[in-house]
C-alpha cells in the first residue's frame, strides 16, 4: 500500500522535468493524478505509463484566469482534489517580467484559491508550491525569477496561517541545481556543471526524482504536522559552504 492511496492530485507543469517526477512520485504512492501543461502530446507521453488512471488537462497558466479554469477542470475530471502541486513556472526572460510574475506567482495563487474551498469541505488538503533557492538569495542574472520565488515563500506562510483551521496544509519545496531540461544547454558550457558541483556539499547536482520524493512526503500523512515551511532540497548548496577538501 502507498502513502497516498485514494488521494486525488493535480500537478501543474507536469509534462517534463521536476513536474513530471512529482507526478510520478505521487502516482507511485497511490494517488490518481491530473497532469496539466500546455502540450497535450508531452502530457500523454507521461500519462501513458502512470498507474491509477491519470488525467491529462491542457492549460496555459500564463493566461489570466487559467488557474481558475484548471481548478474547475481538475475537480470535474477527478471528482475533487486533495493534493495540489504548483510546479509550472519559467526562468528569467528579458523584457517579460510581467509574464514571469504571472506564471510563477499569480497562477499558483489563483489555482490554490480556486481549490481550497473544496479541500476544506473534504476536511483535508495539501498544497505544495515549487519555489527555488533563488528566492532566498540574490542572483544577479535572475532578479524577477528570484522575486517570484521569494513571493511564493511568503505566500506559503500566509496561506498556511489562513487555511490551517480548515485542515489544509501549505508548504513549498525549494530545489537547488537539478538536472532538468532547463539546464540542458547550460550544462554543456565547459566547466560549468563541475564548477558549480564543487560548491555543493554533496558534490553533485540533484535528480528531479529527488524533488518528487520530497513532494510526495509533504503530500502524505507522514507530514501531517508540517505546514508553512519551505523545504530546501539542494544538496547543501545554499546554506553550506563547500570550498575544499579539509580531510
Amino acid at each position: 500500500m502507498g502513502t497516498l492511496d485514494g488521494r486525488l492530485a493535480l500537478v501543474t507543469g507536469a509534462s517534463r522535468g521536476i513536474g513530471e517526477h512529482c507526478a510520478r512520485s505521487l502516482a507511485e504512492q497511490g494517488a490518481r493524478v491530473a497532469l496539466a501543461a500546455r502540450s497535450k502530446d508531452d502530457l500523454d507521453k507521461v500519462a501513458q505509463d502512470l498507474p491509477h488512471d491519470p488525467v491529462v488537462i491542457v492549460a496555459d497558466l500564463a493566461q489570466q484566469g487559467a488557474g481558475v479554469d484548471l481548478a474547475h477542470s481538475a475537480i470535474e475530471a477527478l471528482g475533487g482534489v486533495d493534493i495540489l502541486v504548483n510546479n509550472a513556472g519559467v526562468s528569467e526572460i528579458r523584457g517579460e517580467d510581467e509574464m514571469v510574475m504571472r506564471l510563477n506567482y499569480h497562477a499558483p495563487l489563483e489555482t490554490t484559491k480556486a481549490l481550497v474551498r473544496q479541500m476544506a469541505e473534504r476536511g483535508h488538503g495539501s498544497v505544495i508550491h515549487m519555489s527555488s533557492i533563488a528566492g532566498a538569495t540574490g542572483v544577479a542574472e535572475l532578479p524577477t525569477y528570484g522575486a517570484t520565488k521569494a513571493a511564493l515563500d511568503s505566500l506559503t506562510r500566509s496561506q498556511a496561517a489562513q487555511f490551517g483551521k480548515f485542515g489544509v496544509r501549505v508548504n513549498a519545496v525549494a530545489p537547488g541545481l537539478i538536472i532538468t531540461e532547463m539546464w540542458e544547454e547550460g550544462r554543456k558550457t565547459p566547466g560549468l556543471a563541475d564548477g558549480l558541483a564543487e560548491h555543493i556539499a554533496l558534490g553533485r547536482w540533484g535528480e528531479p526524482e529527488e524533488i518528487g520524493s520530497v513532494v510526495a512526503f509533504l503530500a502524505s500523512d507522514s507530514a501531517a504536522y508540517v505546514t508553512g515551511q519551505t523545504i530546501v532540497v539542494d544538496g547543501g548548496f545554499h546554506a553550506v559552504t563547500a570550498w575544499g577538501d579539509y580531510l
Side-chain angles (χ1 to χ4, degrees), residues 121-213:
E121 291 172 352
R122 297 166 74 85
H124 61 87
S126 176
V127 177
I128 301 157
H129 299 305
M130 195 58 62
S131 182
S132 167
I133 58 171
T137 187
V139 182
E141 296 82 2
L142 305 173
T144 302
Y145 175 80
T148 63
K149 297 304 184 177
L152 268 186
D153 291 343
S154 178
L155 180 67
T156 296
R157 295 187 292 270
S158 296
Q159 288 182 330
Q162 184 178 9
F163 304 141
K165 61 185 176 183
F166 302 112
V168 178
R169 297 181 295 107
V170 185
N171 292 288
V173 175
L177 297 173
I178 308 298
I179 301 174
T180 64
E181 290 87 345
M182 184 180 294
W183 275 101
E184 186 173 356
E185 290 303 316
R187 285 175 55 83
K188 294 177 182 177
T189 303
L192 184 143
D194 290 341
L196 287 172
E198 291 177 359
H199 297 283
I200 301 172
L202 293 182
R204 64 174 178 85
W205 289 52
E207 300 287 347
E209 53 264 34
E210 293 176 303
I211 305 300
S213 63

Side-chain angles (χ1 to χ4, degrees), residues 25-49:
S25 292
L26 295 173
E28 287 168 2
Q29 291 301 318
R32 185 183 182 204
V33 182
L35 310 162
R38 291 179 297 175
S39 169
K40 185 177 186 303
D41 289 345
D42 290 341
L43 289 171
D44 286 339
K45 289 178 183 177
V46 176
Q48 66 184 359
D49 62 351

Side-chain angles (χ1 to χ4, degrees), residues 9 31 36 45 82-83 102 124 134 150-151 161 167 226 232 239:
K45 289 178 183 177
D82 304 302
I83 301 161
R102 166 74 216 155
H124 61 87
V226 180
V232 176

